[in-house]
Amino acid sequence: MSNLQGKTLFITGASRGIGKAIALRAARDGANIVIAAKTTDPHPKLPGTIYTAAKEIEEAGGKALPCVVDIRDEAQIHAAVAKAVETFGGIDILVNNASAISLTGTLETPLKRFDLMHGINTRGTFACSQACIPYLKKSSNPHILNNSPPLNMEPRWFGPHVAYTIAKYGMSLCALGMAEELKDDGIAVNTLWPRTVIATAAVQNLLGGDDTIKGSRTPEIMADAAYTILTKPSRSFTGNFCIDDEVLRAAGITNLDKYQSVPGAELLPDFFL
């Protein structure tokens, strides 16, 4: 495949950040984007709604279907999938991007927060995959891509925030298992994770503010890496834990300066690498 023209992408958490960047990159090819996210009204600290994202996607050249979806709710997922199939005729790609984070220790993590992270990250990924797979099986080049890290069993990645780590690794375990399970169906299942911190609203608000943003890369690096993965033949590229800059370098893109939030700033590494 050379591009995503006419392909339908179901992207969770696509109203802002990395999810929206992936959507906009696909839209430039003329793709159909299902924006599966919760935000319908503007938030003072989290700019962007499913409707503003839809407008940007259409301005970029794609077709947008904004759907109100809390991926903890199975009925909402299935309603959005049904609407996507009714509108666009099928689903070719699922991007499990939506995620919840709390970098807290065991005593500092209320069970309500534990349940939120696992409900969105692991269970949401499983539920969206389960709902989309019957339609992905009908696609000529079907992909599932999870925004989650390589499985790194070093204790230092568990000690400070064990609940979050388990929730994110759950997404990666879904990819590991489903890649094997769906191999004969030709459905590629991979993960993608950034080498560095990515400049998103969550990073701005929860992970250090302006200082952290300074040492980050823009969401476009994840979008370009995702695009590279999603245009590969699904039967020959599956079961991989991908890192954004490695994907781009393998595709011949070696100068990554354009992705820096602040040119020349020292980059901050992301978790789990």
Side-chain angles (χ1 to χ4, degrees):
M1 282 188 68
S2 57
N3 61 51
L4 297 176
Q5 184 176 7
K7 299 295 180 180
T8 298
L9 288 75
F10 190 103
I11 307 178
T12 67
S15 59
R16 63 176 65 93
I18 292 169
K20 188 179 78 171
I22 292 172
L24 290 173
R25 179 63 187 88
R28 280 160 41 195
D29 279 0
N32 309 315
I33 312 295
V34 184
I35 306 161
K38 292 193 304 177
T39 307
T40 56
D41 299 311
H43 186 284
K45 290 188 176 180
L46 296 171
T49 69
I50 59 173
Y51 306 114
T52 59
K55 185 174 184 290
E56 289 185 55
I57 287 164
E58 291 179 347
E59 288 173 349
K63 294 180 180 177
L65 177 65
C67 295
V68 180
V69 182
D70 181 339
I71 62 169
R72 294 171 293 176
D73 187 318
E74 183 180 6
Q76 290 184 24
I77 294 170
H78 282 276
V81 167
K83 186 68 174 175
V85 174
E86 177 189 340
T87 304
F88 298 125
I91 296 173
D92 300 288
I93 291 166
L94 167 63
V95 179
N96 288 305
N97 167 73
S99 194
I101 183 171
S102 181
L103 300 178
T104 47
T106 301
L107 296 180
E108 294 75 37
T109 307
L111 285 177
K112 184 177 180 180
R113 177 61 59 172
F114 181 99
D115 290 342
L116 176 72
M117 288 191 285
H118 285 72
I120 292 174
N121 301 3
T122 303
R123 185 179 183 275
T125 292
F126 186 92
C128 289
S129 300
Q130 187 181 68
C132 289
I133 285 168
Y135 303 99
L136 293 171
K137 286 183 177 183
K138 301 174 184 178
S139 172
S140 60
N141 197 50
H143 282 263
I144 297 174
L145 183 63
N146 298 347
N147 182 2
S148 64
L151 294 167
N152 184 340
M153 293 296 134
E154 293 180 31
R156 67 191 178 106
W157 295 123
F158 290 83
H161 37 71
V162 63
Y164 172 66
T165 300
I166 295 171
K168 288 304 289 187
Y169 280 20
M171 296 175 71
S172 299
L173 287 167
C174 282
L176 181 69
M178 290 180 194
E180 184 66 21
E181 177 186 1
L182 302 173
K183 190 182 296 182
D184 289 344
D185 295 305
I187 301 175
V189 191
N190 298 288
T191 73
L192 178 62
W193 194 245
R195 173 78 60 192
T196 70
V197 175
I198 299 295
T200 63
V203 168
Q204 179 76 51
N205 296 329
L206 301 173
L207 300 177
D210 291 341
D211 288 342
T212 305
I213 292 291
K214 181 180 177 182
S216 67
R217 284 176 171 153
T218 64
E220 283 68 34
I221 189 170
M222 286 287 282
D224 288 349
Y227 180 89
T228 301
I229 294 167
L230 298 173
T231 53
K232 289 180 181 291
S234 61
R235 287 189 177 274
S236 60
F237 192 83
T238 187
N240 301 288
F241 296 122
C242 303
I243 307 300
D244 57 357
D245 58 2
E246 291 179 0
V247 170
L248 294 178
R249 288 194 177 100
I253 302 169
T254 56
N255 186 348
L256 306 179
D257 293 348
K258 68 176 182 178
Y259 298 114
Q260 287 202 232
S261 295
V262 177
E266 183 177 353
L267 291 168
L268 298 172
D270 207 333
F271 300 108
F272 309 122
L273 298 179

